[in-house]
Amino acid sequence: MTATGIISALIIGLIIGALGRLVLPGRQNIPIWLTILVGVGAALLGTVIARAAGVADTAGLDWTEILLQVVLAAVGVALVAGVTGRRGVSRY
């Protein structure tokens, strides 16, 4: 993998991880590096699943693939936040 590929994976991972955090209710107190890691994993896994299902090769944006990646990121962030036990608690 080239340096450009690594930087692209980190940027996509950050975006997918952030979107995964946004769709979850409440506050998840996990570090940004862990969000990126979950996002990169979700982006890669989502691409593999989308290609296996035959929905990754469409004209234009692959909305099904992006939706799959965001859902996987949300599940990943929820699991990591639950396992680490650092879930935010509302004070109100």
Side-chain angles (χ1 to χ4, degrees):
M1 181 175 264
T2 65
T4 305
I6 293 171
I7 291 170
S8 298
L10 289 175
I11 292 170
I12 291 170
L14 176 63
I15 293 168
I16 295 295
L19 288 173
R21 284 180 80 153
L22 284 175
V23 298
L24 286 176
R27 184 174 166 197
Q28 296 78 35
N29 287 329
I30 62 173
I32 192 69
W33 65 265
L34 195 51
T35 300
I36 293 172
L37 189 64
V38 169
V40 169
L44 292 173
L45 184 61
T47 299
V48 169
I49 293 171
R51 287 186 192 272
V55 294
D57 296 324
T58 60
L61 279 172
D62 296 326
W63 290 108
T64 306
E65 182 179 359
I66 293 171
L67 180 65
L68 185 59
Q69 291 171 339
V70 172
V71 168
L72 288 171
V75 169
V77 168
L79 287 173
V80 168
V83 168
T84 60
R86 297 178 62 188
R87 203 174 301 163
V89 177
S90 177
R91 296 182 198 165
Y92 304 104

